[in-house]
Amino acid sequence: MAQAAKKITLSPSRDIAFDKLVLSQSNVRRIKAGVSIEELAEDIARRGLLQSLNVRPVMNAEGVETGKFEIPAGGRRFQALSLLVKQKRLAKFAPVPCIVREVSTAILAEDDSLAENMQRVALHPLDQFRAFLALREKGQSDEEIAAAFFVAPAVVKQRMRLASVAPALLEVYAEDAMTLEQLMAFTVNPDHARQIQVWDAVKSSWSKEPFQIRRMLTEASVRASDRRAVFVGVSAYEDAGGTVLRDLFQGDDGGWLEEPALLDRLVSERLQVEAEAIAAEGWKWIEISVDLPYGYSHGMRRLFGEAVPMTEDEVAAHAAHLAEYRQLEEEHSGQDDLPEDISERLAALELAMEGLEQRPMVYEADDVARAGVFVSLDREGGLSVSRGFVRVEDEAPVIADGDCAMSDVAGQGGDGAVSASHLGSAGTVITSGGQPLEALAEDEDDGALKPLPERLLVELTAHRTLALREAVGRSPDVALTLLLVKLVNDTFRTAGASGSCLEASVREVYLSTQAPDLKDSVVARSVDDRQASWEADLPLGDDAVLWDYLTALDQASRLALLAHCVSFGINAVHEKPNPYGAGISASGLTRRMAQSDILANAVGLDMVEAGWEPTVETYLGRVPKARILDAVREAKGEGTAQLLDHLKKAEMAVEAERLLKGSGWLPEVLRRIDLDAGTGAGEGEAVEDTLEPVEDIALPDFLMADLPSEPAAMMAAE
């Protein structure tokens, strides 16, 4: 006979006078977070107590109830009530709704406190948006809603912007198929059809970052000279139904492609076709991406195959090209300027010899079976294929004594770990962004000098971080001092130290958000070259052999290697502070950037020498007009800046790029504080001292047309 289920008995509830309640020492909440006690008290005063307190009778030494009740769960509500009593807004004997635990219960007070705090579920942002929307529809303003829920009006306005997102995308977000940051990115364009079109294009794509969504939503057209258009071909784009806008009155560089989403889809499909062709070679995996970020192969071992030797015909062709090249050089050795046909012939011969010298590589079959390939686009729109990268998890195991298998390479796998994905024709796993294959809107410009956009700050400081790595990598003394600072902090500031008796490590910071030109910069190539040089010399794989090798190195080489390793731990990237969760706090970010300034001064960092310059893409096209004028004013003087003041932003950015080229001007975030402090004009100094004569500046025709006939008179009138 089946036994009846035991019925659950809930704890009774009753009103208890406030002066009979005391705060329990069993309450697990110790850290202040969230709504303050003062704000909670105001909310209780406005709407009353929404949730009862969890209490238990207080027993004396003989186990007899004292008439007092302790509160293990609900301590913040009790403190808010205490504040109201202190303010004489609540009677000291006012009844308080309570859930009373029996004395005989086996549940500990700490158990109740922990359960109440851990079993809460924060309100989903979409539910918050719908609640705010309902309150607004019932007549409450954004300020009233913000005041009622103790949030800034900006938070309410931000949530209300979700009303401009297509309902279908709201449902996608509700199902956790996209992040809140991705959802907010769709608010830049209120066209629901365009929003859905962009989501369909990116949901299975290599990049679903919010900035990518904004770029696609705000990008109305793509130049035919764009590398994506070059890779696909304008004719293929038109055959797929795309339209091209052409200017009939002036050169348009091939026109503008009006459907960026279609172009992105064609690029993705073409890359997949190329990857499937390469899969026939037998590689284990292929990762395809329009852009490969800097450091994409971090943690992987590079295979170096053997070049296929030239055939007899190729050797003969190369010799003939070389002989003709040397003959032409000898015939025209005394001429300063070569005839055009001769220059073209020499260039053609160089290209032909280069094509013969760049031999395909042959790899061992076992290596191919465990290695992979990166397929992407180069800067000119051509196909870029990088073969022979072995991930840590794919390394061949080594059988040690006792038949115990262990990996011959230690460490964690890279960011490109392969999961079950699309299979190529040869069983190769083809992924895009680690997943299976299947521009920011401009703010209103009121002329005020606003802070730099968050993403631009991240990109600029990523450039600075990489330049610092390169500089520290060739400055052993600075690197040693930097390492000593880290060790001294760990030794003498024990609050920040943890772990074993000695922990000193370098963890490379992956630059996940960065400018697209970062990996092709001069300093990036310098860092990569130095890395490759050390990799070629170091006997990696056997710690005993490596120990002997390092011991035998001279002191200068040891310091150079130390500097190189320390440089990979530098992180001078700006990021948004997070005071409650993962990431960096506001004070931590301030200290990081201040220390990076000290480091920049120590290594004599010059971002101009590092190759950064202000262009439309890197800075000028992404800041308000006031910032553009401020840059020209600093570099060229007030007079030159006034000449640009009447232009639209796009024209102003292009002209400012021309004026600033070669000037050495840098945004504040990229300047060295020691040089900046010594060269900047102080307040009250005569501005005229920094002006260049207007007539000495080469200006385009459309600006010259706006100049008065007597520039001196214009300057005097100012």
Side-chain angles (χ1 to χ4, degrees):
M1 181 176 178
Q3 293 183 347
K6 184 179 180 180
K7 300 297 184 183
I8 297 174
T9 302
L10 300 178
S11 297
S13 62
R14 74 185 204 192
D15 291 344
I16 300 176
F18 173 80
D19 65 336
K20 300 295 184 183
L21 300 174
V22 294
L23 192 60
S24 173
Q25 295 303 309
S26 299
N27 194 305
V28 299
R29 185 186 288 276
R30 297 285 188 269
I31 307 300
K32 295 180 180 180
V35 177
S36 69
I37 298 300
E38 292 77 9
E39 291 173 334
L40 183 57
E42 291 299 324
D43 191 65
I44 293 174
R46 175 177 175 267
R47 70 176 93 240
L49 196 62
L50 296 180
Q51 185 178 356
S52 301
L53 306 183
N54 184 292
V55 303
R56 294 168 177 247
V58 176
M59 314 298 289
N60 62 18
E62 288 75 29
V64 179
E65 295 186 18
T66 62
K68 296 282 188 177
F69 295 84
E70 64 174 353
I71 308 168
R76 297 183 73 253
R77 277 164 278 150
F78 175 72
Q79 293 178 57
L81 293 172
S82 300
L83 180 60
L84 293 174
V85 170
K86 183 178 180 180
Q87 296 172 346
K88 301 188 182 304
R89 301 166 68 185
L90 181 69
K92 186 175 182 180
F93 308 103
V96 179
C98 298
I99 303 294
V100 183
R101 276 284 193 186
E102 297 293 341
V103 176
S104 59
T105 181
I107 305 298
L108 298 175
E110 290 84 355
D111 195 341
D112 281 345
S113 178
L114 186 62
E116 186 192 57
N117 286 283
M118 292 191 63
Q119 293 179 6
R120 294 176 182 174
V121 177
L123 191 64
H124 195 280
L126 191 55
D127 290 330
Q128 190 181 47
F129 152 67
R130 288 166 174 162
F132 287 168
L133 185 61
L135 292 174
R136 178 190 276 183
E137 291 173 349
K138 292 180 180 179
Q140 291 194 18
S141 66
D142 290 349
E143 289 72 19
E144 290 173 330
I145 297 172
F149 293 96
F150 303 102
V151 296
V155 174
V156 178
K157 287 180 169 57
Q158 183 187 55
R159 289 289 183 266
M160 298 307 291
R161 288 179 61 192
L162 294 179
S164 64
V165 179
L169 297 183
L170 294 178
E171 292 305 318
V172 172
Y173 172 59
E175 296 171 0
D176 294 329
M178 74 167 70
T179 66
L180 178 60
E181 289 74 18
Q182 290 171 330
L183 183 68
M184 293 299 296
F186 285 99
T187 63
V188 301
N189 188 334
D191 186 342
H192 287 186
R194 175 63 176 152
Q195 291 174 0
I196 294 175
Q197 182 186 29
V198 168
W199 177 247
D200 289 340
V202 304
K203 64 183 179 182
S204 299
S205 175
W206 56 274
S207 177
K208 291 184 286 190
E209 295 297 323
F211 79 88
Q212 174 74 4
I213 294 173
R214 292 190 184 94
R215 181 188 69 78
M216 295 178 67
L217 284 168
T218 57
E219 184 180 45
S221 59
V222 177
R223 281 194 171 275
S225 58
D226 185 281
R227 60 189 183 130
R228 292 170 292 166
V230 173
F231 178 65
V232 171
V234 175
S235 59
Y237 165 81
E238 290 178 312
D239 291 343
T243 56
V244 179
L245 177 65
R246 301 187 185 277
D247 192 327
L248 302 179
F249 300 98
Q250 63 179 0
D252 59 7
D253 199 20
W256 293 266
L257 282 62
E258 293 291 283
E259 299 177 53
L262 172 61
L263 177 62
D264 287 333
R265 179 173 63 82
L266 293 175
V267 170
S268 180
E269 292 174 353
R270 170 83 185 278
L271 283 174
Q272 181 176 339
V273 170
E274 298 288 353
E276 289 177 344
I278 297 172
E281 300 173 13
W283 300 98
K284 181 174 183 179
W285 54 266
I286 298 177
E287 173 74 13
I288 64 175
S289 174
V290 175
D291 282 302
L292 291 172
Y294 177 76
Y296 63 91
S297 61
H298 172 65
M300 301 184 193
R301 178 168 61 90
R302 182 72 186 269
L303 299 178
F304 297 96
E306 295 185 2
V308 175
M310 293 185 187
T311 63
E312 293 182 1
D313 292 340
E314 289 173 333
V315 171
H318 187 276
H321 294 330
L322 182 59
E324 183 181 355
Y325 187 91
R326 289 175 175 172
Q327 181 180 354
L328 290 174
E329 275 191 326
E330 185 177 350
E331 291 174 355
H332 300 85
S333 60
Q335 301 179 15
D336 293 334
D337 295 322
L338 295 177
E340 184 175 351
D341 59 333
I342 299 300
S343 296
E344 292 178 354
R345 181 54 184 166
L346 289 173
L349 289 171
E350 285 181 352
L351 190 62
M353 287 188 290
E354 185 178 345
L356 291 171
E357 292 166 357
Q358 292 180 349
R359 312 300 297 164
M361 306 299 292
V362 177
Y363 302 86
E364 295 292 338
D366 290 344
D367 289 337
V368 172
R370 71 169 58 95
V373 182
F374 291 99
V375 179
S376 62
L377 300 185
D378 60 27
R379 295 178 66 87
E380 287 73 36
L383 185 68
S384 174
V385 180
S386 299
R387 293 175 170 85
F389 291 89
V390 183
R391 293 167 172 159
V392 173
E393 61 268 30
D394 295 330
E395 291 285 3
V398 174
I399 306 302
D401 294 340
D403 296 329
C404 294
M406 58 181 291
S407 173
D408 62 343
V409 178
Q412 295 179 337
D415 293 333
V418 176
S419 56
S421 303
H422 178 78
L423 294 180
S425 57
T428 303
V429 179
I430 301 179
T431 59
S432 181
Q435 298 298 322
L437 286 178
E438 313 244 337
L440 294 173
E442 182 180 339
D443 294 332
E444 293 184 7
D445 190 1
D446 56 5
L449 200 60
K450 299 178 181 178
L452 294 177
E454 188 82 8
R455 178 172 170 77
L456 178 57
L457 264 178
V458 173
E459 290 185 6
L460 293 175
T461 51
H463 270 288
R464 188 171 189 251
T465 298
L466 191 59
L468 281 171
R469 289 181 182 179
E470 197 282 326
V472 171
R474 51 181 165 79
S475 305
D477 290 339
V478 174
L480 186 58
T481 303
L482 179 63
L483 182 58
L484 284 173
V485 168
K486 168 70 167 60
L487 295 178
V488 167
N489 279 334
D490 288 347
T491 303
F492 295 96
R493 300 177 65 176
T494 54
S498 62
S500 179
C501 60
L502 174 62
E503 290 186 9
S505 62
V506 173
R507 178 178 61 86
E508 182 179 0
V509 180
Y510 180 69
L511 305 177
S512 58
T513 303
Q514 55 187 255
D517 59 340
L518 187 63
K519 64 185 176 67
D520 297 316
S521 63
V522 174
V523 290
R525 290 196 294 270
S526 180
V527 171
D528 292 342
D529 291 345
R530 190 167 58 230
Q531 175 81 358
S533 176
W534 278 113
E535 281 183 339
D537 293 339
L538 291 171
L540 303 175
D542 189 322
D543 285 347
V545 176
L546 179 62
W547 181 277
D548 293 340
Y549 174 84
L550 295 176
T551 303
L553 278 180
D554 60 87
Q555 188 68 0
S557 299
R558 288 161 61 88
L559 287 175
L561 179 57
L562 171 66
H564 178 71
C565 295
V566 168
S567 72
F568 277 84
I570 294 173
N571 182 6
V573 177
H574 170 87
E575 61 182 273
K576 191 172 183 179
N578 184 353
Y580 299 119
I584 192 170
S585 65
S587 60
L589 179 62
T590 300
R591 185 178 178 212
R592 171 192 292 179
M593 304 315 290
Q595 195 175 81
S596 72
D597 287 334
I598 297 172
L599 186 58
N601 297 342
V603 298
L605 180 66
D606 187 337
M607 288 303 298
V608 176
E609 291 184 359
W612 191 91
E613 58 181 352
T615 65
V616 174
E617 291 77 14
T618 62
Y619 184 83
L620 299 168
R622 304 169 61 184
V623 296
K625 292 171 63 175
R627 283 275 181 186
I628 301 175
L629 292 173
D630 192 57
V632 175
R633 185 179 298 111
E634 288 186 1
K636 296 295 183 179
E638 179 65 33
T640 306
Q642 289 179 1
L643 295 176
L644 306 184
D645 192 39
H646 68 288
L647 296 178
K648 293 182 179 179
K649 178 180 172 180
E651 296 173 343
M652 182 185 292
V654 172
E655 184 58 23
E657 177 180 335
R658 187 185 70 82
L659 292 171
L660 294 175
K661 188 170 185 63
S663 68
W665 181 88
L666 295 170
E668 297 91 335
V669 71
L670 297 185
R671 300 175 187 173
R672 275 190 19 218
I673 56 175
D674 58 336
L675 298 181
D676 198 26
T679 60
E683 292 186 10
E685 292 181 10
V687 179
E688 287 78 2
D689 292 342
T690 64
L691 296 181
E692 293 184 14
V694 174
E695 58 269 21
D696 291 342
I697 301 174
L699 298 174
D701 294 339
F702 73 92
L703 285 180
M704 290 296 293
D706 292 338
L707 286 176
S709 58
E710 297 182 2
M714 180 184 72
M715 297 297 291
E718 295 176 359

